Amino acid sequence: MNIYVLLKRTFDTEEKISLTGGKINEDGAEFIINPYDEYAVEEAIQVRDAQGGEVTVISVGTEEAEKQLRTALAMGADKAVLINIEDEIENGDQFTTSKIIAEYLKDKEADLIIAGNVAIDGGSGQVGPRVAELLEIPYITTITKLEISDGNVSVTRDVEGDSEIIETSLPLLVTAQQGLNEPRYPSLPGIMKAKKKPLEELELDDLDLEEEDVEAKTKTLEIYLPPKKEAGKVLSGEIKDQVTELVQLLRSEAKVI
Ligand SMILES: Cc1cc2nc3c(=O)[nH]c(=O)nc-3n(C[C@H](O)[C@H](O)[C@H](O)COP(=O)(O)OP(=O)(O)OC[C@H]3O[C@@H](n4cnc5c(N)ncnc54)[C@H](O)[C@@H]3O)c2cc1C
């Protein structure tokens, strides 16, 4: 089976993020595989081990993403592709990324494409569905279980805490939700093997794309941190007085009643 994983290099949002000039400050920031894409890599490896075939991991970005691609190879993926657009595109958006990935995949005869449900930095959840639309294949988002047998696919998806079971067939794109699996850590032999696994680097030219073909459709006007949380107010005194004060505060300060 021909399996592709879409992998994004993202900020580690567990770390402190700072802004400089309206942009996220990359100096000193930690970068990781988008956590939902780790589920995608793990699922792809499990499907390949059960069904046979090959797992290729694709990332659109800069050469720094090579580190995250090598980690996916160390987990057990077979090949990686880095579409390096650093020198060609200054401002990309979800359209840019999806168009590039779809252009790469259009003649690859992918049976299964697994993306993350959402990137923890950009957070739009658009890239997976956009790629499927461009390739004109079905897609199912936020999946928590994937079973494939003789080309028939049964998928369980998370619908805001409830589950939905969908039966379909390949080719298919799915997006991984938390709970799909427990991503493995790369083993030491895995890390050694990963150094020799193929990592292809492509540019827009290699995909017959011009900059204007992938020009962003949206413009980010501003990026800002959420307002600081103010300390809560603790009322004291007789309960009756506290209730009166609370009602007054809700009216005059919070202005919610
Ligand atoms: C060269 C470049 C320039 C950019 N410039 C800007 C900018 O100026 N302003 C701005 O706000 N943003 C910029 N971006 C970021 C870009 O708009 C989004 O991060 C990207 O389109 C993905 O959207 P998202 O983060 O909402 O991902 P989502 O749609 O939430 O991601 C869902 C899933 O899609 C897949 N995916 C997402 N991104 C990639 C990727 N790059 N490679 C492989 N798979 C992926 C992953 O599986 C991921 O889990 C730029 C990106 C690039 C590569």
Side-chain angles (χ1 to χ4, degrees):
M1 192 177 302
N2 213 358
I3 309 163
Y4 287 87
V5 175
L6 312 186
L7 182 147
K8 187 179 183 189
R9 169 182 182 263
T10 55
F11 293 98
D12 187 350
T13 49
E14 301 279 307
E15 302 284 327
K16 198 168 182 333
I17 287 175
S18 62
L19 299 178
T20 311
K23 290 204 162 175
I24 295 171
N25 194 352
E26 295 200 1
D27 294 339
E30 287 291 320
F31 288 89
I32 53 169
I33 297 179
N34 179 44
Y36 292 96
D37 304 352
E38 285 187 342
Y39 298 121
V41 175
E42 176 63 38
E43 198 63 19
I45 293 168
Q46 289 187 19
V47 171
R48 180 209 54 203
D49 289 349
Q51 310 274 335
E54 196 171 64
V55 175
T56 307
V57 186
I58 311 171
S59 195
V60 177
T62 64
E63 66 179 351
E64 272 111 27
E66 193 179 321
K67 186 172 172 212
Q68 284 69 34
L69 288 172
R70 287 274 174 219
T71 304
L73 292 172
M75 286 171 75
D78 301 288
K79 297 197 296 191
V81 178
L82 170 62
I83 307 175
N84 188 344
I85 53 174
E86 192 168 17
D87 298 333
E88 293 156 300
I89 298 169
E90 205 181 322
N91 295 313
D93 67 359
Q94 290 77 5
F95 166 77
T96 312
T97 307
S98 315
K99 176 84 181 164
I100 293 169
I101 293 173
E103 207 56 33
Y104 171 78
L105 285 172
K106 72 175 187 205
D107 53 5
K108 297 288 184 294
E109 293 183 6
D111 298 300
L112 179 66
I113 303 169
I114 314 182
N117 155 39
V118 70
I120 56 166
D121 54 356
S124 69
Q126 287 191 25
V127 170
R130 275 181 180 271
V131 168
E133 285 289 333
L134 288 166
L135 294 174
E136 297 182 348
I137 61 169
Y139 66 88
I140 304 172
T141 56
T142 58
I143 73 157
T144 52
K145 194 171 176 190
L146 175 67
E147 288 172 308
I148 302 175
S149 165
D150 299 329
N152 298 316
V153 184
S154 172
V155 170
T156 305
R157 68 183 293 261
D158 174 36
V159 275
E160 296 185 8
D162 235 320
S163 293
E164 186 176 41
I165 296 171
I166 298 172
E167 300 205 333
T168 182
S169 56
L170 301 173
L172 175 71
L173 183 146
V174 292
T175 73
Q177 171 67 309
Q178 190 173 9
L180 178 62
N181 53 46
E182 194 61 53
R184 69 194 67 192
Y185 288 106
S187 63
L188 193 58
I191 295 169
M192 300 311 286
K193 270 192 212 158
K195 290 184 182 160
K196 291 191 182 144
K197 288 184 180 174
L199 193 156
E200 188 182 12
E201 196 170 324
L202 301 173
E203 294 180 357
L204 282 192
D205 250 9
D206 301 309
L207 302 174
D208 273 336
L209 283 172
E210 302 293 333
E211 276 172 53
E212 50 271 23
D213 297 330
V214 296
E215 208 167 274
K217 302 274 186 202
T218 55
K219 193 172 167 191
T220 304
L221 299 179
E222 197 182 352
I223 296 179
Y224 53 90
L225 295 170
K228 279 208 173 106
K229 269 198 180 158
E230 289 183 20
K233 196 174 255 179
V234 180
L235 306 180
S236 56
E238 294 288 320
I239 288 292
K240 192 166 138 295
D241 298 334
Q242 283 188 42
V243 171
T244 311
E245 193 183 348
L246 177 64
V247 172
Q248 270 171 4
L249 288 170
L250 289 174
R251 232 180 233 135
S252 58
E253 272 191 26
K255 297 192 170 60
V256 291
I257 56 171

